[in-house]
């Protein structure tokens, strides 16, 4: 049968599209565009598609592609009788077509037409509605056909229509599951049919992953995994990838069958990770499934010790059998590091490419962060320790590298076991193998970053070793030793860094001037910055020399070296923080000029460094920074207005001949995806940080900018990305401070619990505080934990600054949000919990909850006696954290929260003393952890202070526990010293509250022997108020201890003492009377 003239003319143009002639293709596309806008193109295209034997297969394939693209826009205007004919003819074509490319094109057309038959979401549809029933009858018949081609066709059609099948054919899921299982497990079935069945099943399981209906298909997981193994053996990577994608989609499925088959899923993924015959992308997909399963089912995974052991063995083996650096993805993703390591072979395009080591370490990092520490920490550390003593340098490399990888996720147990672990780490840092030394530096840096402050007690061992490694013969070790110094020095006290300060600064400066390796330069600058922060004013003599070095880098114009320019700006900002306004003033103008010049370059990383500098300099220079506001603030606000995520046309939607799709039709929505500009996201975060610090420290000068700034921060608070929301939460309180500076002379004078009298807030301050707090209430209910933690800190800042009149309008909402967080029922705690069948005993400490508990204390501080009525609601939730089964950080946090409540409410806790506070205090004092003991002692002291005589009946039991704390070796660590200090302060408060109920002859000698305080200087006032009071009363027991009191006063008032000057003066005057 001859073709119509329209079809023949169209075929000529389609033929041109198949030829290797760019000009001919361009001309054909230009001619086709107006033709394809006419609905008559549909019959013509189908005619070409059906012309088997008269048209080349390539032309028929193009016809199918264009028919699929264009039929959506024209379908409704086609006559009904033609639609019926088209449906029938299309099914006939599918049944008879032997050319795979043409058949696949026809499958696409069929899928599109079927979707067009589905009703819209706002239409009423019968429960048994099935679109295009003849099509599904056709599929059912094809699935039972003797021909493998027909059976494959049935699954390919299902694969193309998973959303339609998943929505409208749920009544047939049972039959479908049987069909899928029969095809996948039948050893005689053709491979191409099995592959098509797997793809269709996988698509359907992914589509239904969040629905209960997926249970039916999840029972096929064993069959799917068995077939996956067959595919892996024959290196069928496409099918393996599809199955891995399905397993990833099922990770958060509520289906219990997925959890039941977790061991088999993980075992298959581990085999893929180990299989060097598979492409790295496939192996990395398998690792992603392992990591995601640990995130979604951490307790199930952790409780299965055999499965966890197999996972860890795989990870360790991958790292030790690889020749790559074990120093972590932190360095592998650093372009400067990669360039120095690979030299001329370095390709920037490979920065994000997975490697065996990055895959293994990334998986271990997720396991350490997600699986409860009681399950993951010990087996990892055992494997690390076992490898430390190995003769193989690769084994030692893996052992020390993995210890560094888990430092973030397992920070809490690692802090508790530093005494056992640090000797091995320090030994590894002196290993004969450079590879091991490099990994040891990585581990030391990670431990230094995440195990604060406990790690600081090792400064006399860590600093000399890191200093020696700066002279290592291996560039990688030099760079990682700088990283150790950067991480370790950031929180050191000047006394700790002083012995090495001069040689350290000179050495880092020398490295900076002599090395040609960019990674070493960047890390040397970072280490100098951290050293400055640690040394504080002791760094003043070095500012000029370091500033001269930085001044050369701050004007670098080579775009490849912009990261070094940024590091130099960062160093100047840190030096300013260290040495203060007066010492930094000579360098302020030049530094600002260099930073502002950096904003003229199209480089978001450089902008980010500049914003961080502005934040630090505003903090240091305060009002002297204000002249920059007129130029700087509009720029920062413009960054806030930029869109870091935008919708772009989905590439896959265009496929072949993208120029001939419907994108030029105004009524066609098309398929879009969000494209995230990560660099701009980081820059926006930096701009928000800068705005917050400028608002906080430039005082009244920032008031004119509030009108434009606040609405932009409000808009950013609803940003889709948690990074932005968290930063907004941190910046919002700074919008209140300019008005406090302008209209309250820097501070608001408010009274605890007083909301009946006139407000101390001006109308402007009250208005801005209300706007900020209302925005923060929304962020307190966010589904991101970091954002919630930042919001809690921000609410605390605002209410402590502005008082009860600011809190009152949002008090109920705030209390409800905080209580939801304490009871773990807030959105950020329930959004991804698919293991709610476990109790919370395996839960790890959530660090953001510390901010929530601090907010409870702040609310008590502001509300005062008004909070007493809420104690029956809040105390059970808080006490759940102090149970002995909870992690030590939870117990310390909960105990600290009880202490703050007792301190702020005083006698208001009377009704809950015997039933809540006293039992918690006695258990806390007896706790094995010194931080818990410390907080319990504080809680005991402030409770006795607030309750007065009503608590004296319990003095004996409290003093017995406190007496045990005086036996702690206070030289062991800062934490142990702080515990003893808080025990001393507790005794002081008890004496002041009721001296007659304290057995002074027995208590005073022990009490005085622990003075002066060694660590917690905030309790000095309490201690000396007690002792001075006893002397004023001529207490006979105190007079009997006059010599010991004199010793304490003498030491506390000496020049090197950390007691504040006013208190020192009082002690010196008292010493004169003591004789």
């Amino acid at each position: 049968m001859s073709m119509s003239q329209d079809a023949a003319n169209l075929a000529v143009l389609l033929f041109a599209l198949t030829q290797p002639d760019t000009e001919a293709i361009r001309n054909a596309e230009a001619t086709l565009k107006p033709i394809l806008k006419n609905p008559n193109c549909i019959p013509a295209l189908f005619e070409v598609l059906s012309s088997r034997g008269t048209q080349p297969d390539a032309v028929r394939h193009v016809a199918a592609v264009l028919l699929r693209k264009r039929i959506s826009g024209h379908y409704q205007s086609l006559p009904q009788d033609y639609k019926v004919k088209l449906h029938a003819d299309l099914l006939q074509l599918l049944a008879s077509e032997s050319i795979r490319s043409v058949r696949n094109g026809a499958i696409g057309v069929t899928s599109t037409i079927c979707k067009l038959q589905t009703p819209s979401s706002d239409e009423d549809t019968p429960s048994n509605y099935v679109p295009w029933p003849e099509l599904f009858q056709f599929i059912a018949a094809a699935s039972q056909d003797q021909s493998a081609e027909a059976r494959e066709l049935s699954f390919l059609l299902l694969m193309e229509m998973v959303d339609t099948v998943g929505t409208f054919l749920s009544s047939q899921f049972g039959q479908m599951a049987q069909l899928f299982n029969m095809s996948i497990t039948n050893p005689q079935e053709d491979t191409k049919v099995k592959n098509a069945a797997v793809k269709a099943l996988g698509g359907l399981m992914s589509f239904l992953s969040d629905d209960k209906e997926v249970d039916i298909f999840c029972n096929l997981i064993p069959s799917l995994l068995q077939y996956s193994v067959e595919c892996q053996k024959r290196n069928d990577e496409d099918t393996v990838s599809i199955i891995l994608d399905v397993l990833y989609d099922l990770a958060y499925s509520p289906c219990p069958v997925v959890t039941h088959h977790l061991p088999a899923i993980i075992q298959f993924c581990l085999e893929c990770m180990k299989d060097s015959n598979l492409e790295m992308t496939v192996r990395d997909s398998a690792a992603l499934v392992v990591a995601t399963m640990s995130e979604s089912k951490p307790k199930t995974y952790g409780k299965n010790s055999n499965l966890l052991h197999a996972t860890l063995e795989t990870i360790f083996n991958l790292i030790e059998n690889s020749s790559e650096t074990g120093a972590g993805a932190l360095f592998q993703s650093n372009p400067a590091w990669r360039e120095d390591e690979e030299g001329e072979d370095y390709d920037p395009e490979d920065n994000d490419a997975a490697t065996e080591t990055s895959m293994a370490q990334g998986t271990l990092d997720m396991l350490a962060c997600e699986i409860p520490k009681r399950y993951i920490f010990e087996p990892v550390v055992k494997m690390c320790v076992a490898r430390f003593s190995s003769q193989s340098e690769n084994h030692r490399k893996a052992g020390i590298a993995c210890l560094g990888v888990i430092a973030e996720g397992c920070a809490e147990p690692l802090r508790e076991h530093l005494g056992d672990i640090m000797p091995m780490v320090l030994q590894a840092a002196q290993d004969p193998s450079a590879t091991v030394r490099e990994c040891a530096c990585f581990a030391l840096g990670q431990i230094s970053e995440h195990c604060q402050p406990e790690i600081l007690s090792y400064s006399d061992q860590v600093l000399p070793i890191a200093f020696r490694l700066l002279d290592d013969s291996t560039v990688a070790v030099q760079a990682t030793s700088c990283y150790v110094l950067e991480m370790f020095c950031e929180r050191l006290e000047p006394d700790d860094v002083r012995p090495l300060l001069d040689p350290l600064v000179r050495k880092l400066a020398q490295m900076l001037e002599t090395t040609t390796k960019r990674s070493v330069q960047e890390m040397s600058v970072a280490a100098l910055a951290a050293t400055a922060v640690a040394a504080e004013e002791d760094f003043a003599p070095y500012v000029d020399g370091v500033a001269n070095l930085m001044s050369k880098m701050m004007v670098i114009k080579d775009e490849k070296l912009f990261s070094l320019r940024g590091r130099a700006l960062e160093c100047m900002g840190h030096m300013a923080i260290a040495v203060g306004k007066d010492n930094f003033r000579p360098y302020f103008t030049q530094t600002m000029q260099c930073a502002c010049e950096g904003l003229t370059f199209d480089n978001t990383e450089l902008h980010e460094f500049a914003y961080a500098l502005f934040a630090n300099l505003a903090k240091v220079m305060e009002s002297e920074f204000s002249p920059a506001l007129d130029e700087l603030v509009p720029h920062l606000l413009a960054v806030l207005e930029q869109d870091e995520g935008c919708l772009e046309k989905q590439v896959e939607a265009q496929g072949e001949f993208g120029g001939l799709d419907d994108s030029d039709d105004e009524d066609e929505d098309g398929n879009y995806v969000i494209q995230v500009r990560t660099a701009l996201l980081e820059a926006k975060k930096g701009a928000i940080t800068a705005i917050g610090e400028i608002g906080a420290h430039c005082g009244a000068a920032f008031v004119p900018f509030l009108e434009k700034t606040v609405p932009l921060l409000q808009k950013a608070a609803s940003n889709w990305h948690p990074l932005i929301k968290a930063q907004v939460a941190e910046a919002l309180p700074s919008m209140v401070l300019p008005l406090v500076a302008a209209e309250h002379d820097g501070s608001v004078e408010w009274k605890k619990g007083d909301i009946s009298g006139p407000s101390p807030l001006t109308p402007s301050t009250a208005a801005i505080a209300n706007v900020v707090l209302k925005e923060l209430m929304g962020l307190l209910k966010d589904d991101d934990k970091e954002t919630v933690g930042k919001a809690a800190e921000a609410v605390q800042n605002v209410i402590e600054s502005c008082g009860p009149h600011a809190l009152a309008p949002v008090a109920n909402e705030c209390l409800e949000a905080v209580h939801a967080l304490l009871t773990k029922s807030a959105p950020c705690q329930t959004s991804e919990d698919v293991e709610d069948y476990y109790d919370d005993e395996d839960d790890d400490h959530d660090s953001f909850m510390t901010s929530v508990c601090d907010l409870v204390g702040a609310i008590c501080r502001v509300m005062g006696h008004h909070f007493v009525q809420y104690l029956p609601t809040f105390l059970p939730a808080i006490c759940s954290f102090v149970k002995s089964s909870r992690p030590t950080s939870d117990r310390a946090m909960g105990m600290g929260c009880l202490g703050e409540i007792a301190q702020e409410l005083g006698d208001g806790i009377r009704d809950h003393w015997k039933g809540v506070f006293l039992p918690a205090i006695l258990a806390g004092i007896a706790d094995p952890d010194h931080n818990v003991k410390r907080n319990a002692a504080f809680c005991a002291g402030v409770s006795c202070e607030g309750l007065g005589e009503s608590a004296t009946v319990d003095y004996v039991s409290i003093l017995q526990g406190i007496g045990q704390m005086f036996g702690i070796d206070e030289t062991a660590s800062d934490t142990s010293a702080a515990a003893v200090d808080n025990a001393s302060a507790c005794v002081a408060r008890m004496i002041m509250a009721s001296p007659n109920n304290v057995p002074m002859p027995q208590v005073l000698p022990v009490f005085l022997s622990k003075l002066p305080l060694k660590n917690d200087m905030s309790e000095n006032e309490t201690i000396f108020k007690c002792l001075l009071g006893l002397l004023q009363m001529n207490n006979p027991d105190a007079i009997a201890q006059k010599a010991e009191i004199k010793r304490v006063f003498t030491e506390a008032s000496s020049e090197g003492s950390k007691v504040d000057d006013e208190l020192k003066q009082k002690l010196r005057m008292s010493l004169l009377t003591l004789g």
Side-chain angles (χ1 to χ4, degrees):
M1 185 172 128
S2 61
M3 296 173 64
S4 68
Q5 189 59 48
D6 285 348
N9 293 338
L10 194 60
V12 172
L13 295 170
L14 299 185
F15 178 77
L17 294 178
T18 66
Q19 301 305 299
D21 185 336
T22 306
E23 188 63 29
I25 292 172
R26 190 179 293 117
N27 291 337
E29 286 185 342
T31 306
L32 278 166
K33 280 194 174 185
I35 296 172
L36 295 178
K37 285 179 176 289
N38 191 318
N40 292 329
C41 73
I42 299 302
L45 284 168
F46 187 75
E47 198 175 339
V48 176
L49 172 60
S50 306
S51 57
R52 182 167 54 240
T54 61
Q55 288 293 328
D57 294 334
V59 172
R60 296 170 61 218
H61 169 68
V62 174
V65 171
L66 295 183
L67 184 57
R68 181 177 190 177
K69 287 177 179 291
R70 285 294 174 161
I71 198 163
S72 296
H74 296 312
Y75 189 76
Q76 295 304 324
S77 60
L78 294 174
Q80 183 59 35
D81 59 342
Y82 179 73
K83 290 181 184 178
V84 173
K85 181 179 185 304
L86 177 61
H87 292 178
D89 290 349
L90 193 51
L91 294 182
Q92 181 59 44
L93 174 67
L94 286 169
S96 59
E97 184 58 58
S98 59
I99 305 302
R100 294 184 73 84
S101 63
V102 178
R103 187 190 67 178
N104 290 342
I107 289 171
V109 175
T110 306
S111 167
T112 303
I113 293 176
C114 185
K115 187 174 288 189
L116 293 170
Q117 297 283 300
T118 59
S120 61
S121 57
D122 55 355
E123 292 182 57
D124 290 331
T125 309
S127 59
N128 61 347
Y129 175 79
V130 177
W132 197 354
E134 297 83 1
L135 170 60
F136 290 102
Q137 292 166 10
F138 174 86
I139 292 173
S143 69
Q144 304 299 322
D145 199 282
Q146 292 298 310
S147 164
E149 295 287 338
R151 296 195 301 276
E152 180 193 22
L153 173 64
S154 69
F155 290 122
L156 292 176
L157 283 165
L158 288 174
M159 180 184 70
E160 279 289 329
M161 298 186 295
V162 290
D163 48 352
T164 305
V165 172
T167 304
F168 295 102
L169 271 73
S170 58
S171 62
Q172 299 179 40
F173 283 174
Q175 295 170 285
M176 285 187 195
Q178 290 179 9
L179 175 63
F180 283 129
N181 194 46
M182 190 184 309
S183 298
I184 294 170
T185 59
N186 182 357
Q188 276 75 50
E189 182 57 276
D190 192 289
T191 299
K192 63 176 179 286
V193 179
K194 286 188 175 187
N195 285 353
V198 165
K199 291 174 183 177
L201 173 60
L204 198 52
M205 291 171 79
S206 295
F207 180 79
L208 296 169
S209 60
D210 293 330
D211 298 332
K212 186 167 176 47
E213 285 86 353
V214 79
D215 291 15
I216 297 171
F217 298 105
C218 283
N219 288 313
L220 304 184
I221 288 176
S223 301
L224 203 56
L225 292 175
Q226 181 56 47
Y227 185 63
S228 301
V229 173
E230 295 175 23
C231 294
Q232 182 189 350
K233 287 177 179 176
R234 65 169 181 264
N235 219 31
D236 181 359
E237 294 184 335
D238 289 343
T239 307
V240 171
S241 293
I242 289 168
I243 293 169
L244 290 171
D245 288 344
V246 174
L247 296 174
Y248 172 80
D249 289 336
L250 289 175
Y252 274 102
S253 170
C255 175
V257 180
V258 178
T259 304
H260 176 73
H261 292 301
L262 180 67
I265 292 171
I266 297 299
Q267 195 56 56
F268 167 66
C269 291
L270 295 180
E271 292 303 318
C272 289
M273 289 172 66
K274 291 188 283 189
D275 189 349
S276 58
N277 293 317
L278 292 175
E279 287 287 337
M280 200 63 233
T281 52
V282 180
R283 298 168 71 188
D284 198 42
S285 294
L288 182 61
V289 175
V290 173
T292 309
M293 288 292 180
S294 76
E295 183 181 42
S296 64
K297 301 169 188 359
K299 297 171 187 176
T300 305
Y301 205 145
K303 285 175 181 287
N304 190 328
S305 57
N306 291 334
L307 182 64
L308 186 57
H309 184 270
T311 305
L312 295 175
E313 277 293 341
T314 298
I315 288 170
F316 273 79
N317 289 339
L318 283 167
I319 295 172
E320 61 200 11
N321 292 333
S322 169
S323 60
E324 303 157 16
T325 174
L330 174 72
F331 300 112
Q332 286 186 305
S333 60
N334 182 333
W337 180 275
R338 294 282 297 275
E339 189 173 353
D340 288 343
E341 283 285 297
E342 299 173 23
E344 294 180 359
D345 296 331
Y346 170 66
D347 182 359
E349 297 297 320
D350 292 339
N351 275 349
D352 297 326
T355 65
E356 283 191 341
T357 299
S358 69
M359 171 184 71
Q361 291 188 340
T363 307
L364 180 59
D365 182 39
M366 183 68 93
L367 294 173
C369 288
E370 300 300 334
I371 291 179
K373 305 305 165 267
R374 64 175 62 188
Y375 302 126
I376 185 72
F377 179 70
E378 187 178 339
V380 174
V381 172
K382 278 186 176 178
M383 289 185 178
C384 291
V385 171
R387 283 162 171 79
F388 285 161
S389 57
S390 171
Q391 294 298 308
S392 165
E393 70 174 79
N394 275 343
H395 285 190
R396 299 198 302 279
K397 173 192 79 170
I400 192 67
C402 289
L403 193 61
V405 171
I406 67 164
E408 179 181 6
C410 293
E412 185 171 340
L414 201 53
R415 284 196 294 266
E416 295 171 8
H417 292 85
L418 278 181
D420 302 318
I421 289 169
M422 282 302 293
M424 290 178 280
V425 178
L426 294 170
Q427 182 181 342
Q430 302 169 78
D431 195 275
S433 165
T435 304
V436 178
R437 294 198 301 276
E438 177 191 355
C439 290
C441 287
F442 164 68
L444 264 177
Q446 289 285 289
I447 294 170
S448 299
E449 182 176 2
H450 299 293
C451 294
Q452 297 283 351
E454 288 81 0
I455 187 65
L456 298 181
S457 60
Y458 294 89
S459 60
D460 59 339
Q461 299 171 65
V462 172
L463 287 178
I465 289 176
F467 185 72
R468 285 199 299 273
L469 291 174
L470 293 175
D471 283 322
D472 199 275
S473 57
T474 308
V475 171
V477 177
Q478 292 175 17
T480 43
S481 60
C482 289
Y483 167 65
V484 174
L485 291 169
E486 178 191 1
M487 292 297 106
F488 195 87
C489 289
E490 277 185 341
R491 298 190 195 178
L492 275 180
E493 293 294 320
D495 289 348
D496 297 316
V497 77
R498 190 174 291 126
L500 275 176
L501 181 59
D502 187 71
L504 183 57
V505 173
R506 292 181 185 279
K507 180 62 186 174
L508 290 170
Q510 179 199 357
M511 289 175 66
L512 195 54
E513 290 185 291
T514 57
T515 186
T516 58
K517 300 295 185 180
R518 188 154 59 101
S519 62
V520 177
Q521 290 176 325
E522 288 187 15
M523 293 190 143
S524 298
V525 173
L528 274 171
T531 304
V533 170
E536 297 180 4
E537 290 191 354
D538 285 357
F539 201 80
Y542 305 99
V543 171
D544 192 59
V546 175
N548 285 333
L549 284 174
M550 296 304 115
S551 65
K552 301 170 188 173
M553 298 178 191
M554 289 192 299
V555 294
I556 288 172
K557 298 292 193 295
D558 184 350
E559 191 170 348
K560 281 180 64 179
L561 300 178
F562 273 173
S563 58
L564 185 57
R565 176 174 176 152
R567 284 287 191 179
L569 289 172
E570 179 183 63
C571 184
M572 294 299 285
H574 285 186
M575 279 203 302
I577 294 285
V579 301
K581 182 191 303 184
D582 293 337
N583 286 317
F584 191 76
R585 188 176 288 112
Y587 314 98
F588 173 56
T589 301
Q590 183 196 6
T591 305
M592 284 292 291
Q593 287 172 346
C594 291
C596 290
E597 183 193 42
L599 299 180
T600 64
F601 297 110
D602 183 18
N603 187 284
T604 50
E605 183 186 17
L606 195 53
H607 295 186
E608 193 183 337
F609 278 116
Y611 301 150
L613 175 79
F614 298 145
N616 283 331
L617 292 188
K619 198 182 299 181
V620 174
M621 304 309 294
E622 299 176 311
S623 60
E624 293 182 36
F625 193 89
S626 299
L629 299 191
D630 286 338
E631 183 179 347
L632 186 55
V633 173
H635 169 87
L636 295 172
L637 296 182
V639 176
L640 259 67
E641 291 185 280
Q642 292 182 41
D643 188 2
E644 74 287 342
C646 58
L647 288 175
E648 294 183 3
K649 193 76 175 180
Q650 190 170 7
V651 174
E652 290 81 2
Q654 292 186 350
E656 300 172 90
F657 314 112
L660 296 175
D661 64 12
D662 276 333
S663 61
D664 56 337
D665 290 351
E666 293 181 2
D667 61 342
E668 176 63 24
D669 292 334
N671 295 305
Y672 288 84
V673 291
I674 191 164
Q675 298 292 339
V676 182
R677 288 176 279 177
T678 308
L680 181 56
L681 195 72
E682 293 286 349
K684 182 177 282 193
K685 174 179 175 286
I688 295 170
T689 303
I691 287 169
E693 294 296 346
I694 291 169
H697 298 285
C698 289
F702 194 76
V703 171
F705 301 98
L706 288 174
E707 186 178 354
K708 289 185 177 179
T709 304
V710 173
L712 286 174
L713 287 178
Q714 286 179 288
K715 181 181 177 183
S718 59
N719 191 282
W720 61 276
H721 202 287
L723 195 70
I724 299 299
K725 290 187 290 186
Q727 203 58 51
V728 169
E730 194 168 337
L732 277 169
S734 299
M735 300 301 100
V736 181
L737 297 179
L739 281 167
V740 172
E743 301 185 2
H744 300 269
D745 199 25
S747 67
V748 178
E749 300 297 327
W750 55 268
K751 290 176 63 177
K752 179 190 287 191
D754 181 11
I755 54 173
S756 57
S759 172
L761 302 173
T762 65
S764 300
T765 308
I768 192 74
N770 189 248
V771 167
V772 167
L773 283 172
K774 281 185 175 176
E775 205 62 59
L776 289 171
M777 289 305 106
L779 293 173
L780 262 184
K781 294 173 247 182
D782 197 80
D783 60 4
D784 173 64
K785 290 181 178 180
E786 183 181 357
T787 299
V788 172
K790 294 288 187 184
E793 293 169 16
V795 173
Q796 178 177 348
N797 289 340
V798 175
I799 65 175
E800 287 184 339
S801 175
C802 298
H805 280 88
L807 175 59
V810 298
N812 287 337
E813 186 177 1
C814 184
L815 290 170
E816 287 174 7
V818 171
H819 186 261
L821 288 160
L822 291 171
T823 55
K824 300 186 178 181
S825 57
C828 67
Q829 296 160 311
T830 59
S831 58
E832 292 186 335
D833 187 5
V834 297
E835 287 191 305
D836 55 3
Y837 42 84
Y838 285 114
D839 59 33
D840 64 358
E841 297 306 312
D842 287 331
D843 288 346
D844 292 318
H845 173 68
D846 261 327
S847 57
F848 85 100
M849 284 302 296
T850 301
S851 301
V852 175
C853 286
D854 288 345
L855 177 55
V856 174
I859 292 171
C860 292
R861 196 149 39 252
V862 174
M863 290 181 68
H865 65 280
H866 295 292
F867 191 78
V868 172
Q869 61 187 306
Y870 299 104
L871 287 177
T873 302
F874 275 76
L875 287 177
I878 294 167
C879 286
S880 69
F881 289 98
V882 301
K883 293 189 296 185
S884 60
S885 57
R886 300 297 302 154
T888 53
S889 292
D890 269 7
R891 302 198 304 275
M893 176 187 74
M895 201 69 246
C897 188
L898 289 174
E900 288 198 53
I901 292 172
Q903 183 179 40
E904 300 303 335
L905 300 188
D907 191 57
I909 70 167
R910 180 190 301 274
D911 292 345
H912 308 279
W913 168 246
K914 288 286 191 181
V916 176
F917 284 86
L918 180 61
I921 286 168
L922 295 178
I925 289 172
D927 195 279
D929 182 76
H930 288 171
N931 266 325
V932 181
K933 287 180 183 289
R934 171 189 186 178
N935 290 348
F938 173 78
C939 186
V942 295
S943 295
C944 292
E945 188 176 42
L947 292 168
E949 292 297 324
S950 60
T952 56
V953 67
D954 300 303
Y955 268 29
V956 172
S957 57
I958 293 172
L959 285 170
Q960 284 176 345
I962 292 295
Q964 296 296 315
M965 288 182 65
F966 282 131
I968 294 172
D969 178 8
E970 56 203 312
T971 64
S973 67
D974 288 343
T975 307
S976 57
V980 175
D981 287 350
N982 278 264
S984 300
C986 173
V987 170
R989 288 188 169 95
M990 293 174 75
I991 291 172
M992 288 189 285
S994 184
N996 294 331
N997 285 286
V998 175
M1000 302 289 273
Q1002 291 79 36
V1003 170
L1004 265 185
V1006 180
F1007 171 59
L1008 290 168
S1009 72
K1010 297 299 177 180
L1011 302 178
L1013 300 179
K1014 309 298 188 295
N1015 180 275
D1016 190 352
M1017 297 300 140
S1018 66
E1019 293 289 15
N1020 272 323
E1021 187 174 344
T1022 299
I1023 295 293
F1024 293 116
K1025 182 180 177 181
C1026 170
L1027 291 176
L1028 290 168
L1030 289 174
L1031 292 174
Q1032 279 184 336
M1033 293 187 298
N1034 286 317
N1035 179 280
D1037 295 300
I1039 298 302
Q1041 296 290 327
K1042 188 195 303 188
E1044 187 65 357
I1045 292 175
K1046 186 176 179 181
R1047 175 194 66 78
V1048 172
F1049 283 14
T1050 301
E1051 289 181 24
S1053 60
S1054 65
E1055 286 301 320
S1057 166
K1058 293 182 180 179
V1059 175
D1060 70 68
D1061 292 339
E1062 186 179 345
L1063 194 49
K1064 277 183 182 178
Q1065 190 58 34
K1066 287 182 182 179
L1067 297 179
R1068 286 167 183 158
M1069 291 180 66
S1070 182
L1071 279 169
L1072 294 175
T1073 63
L1074 284 173

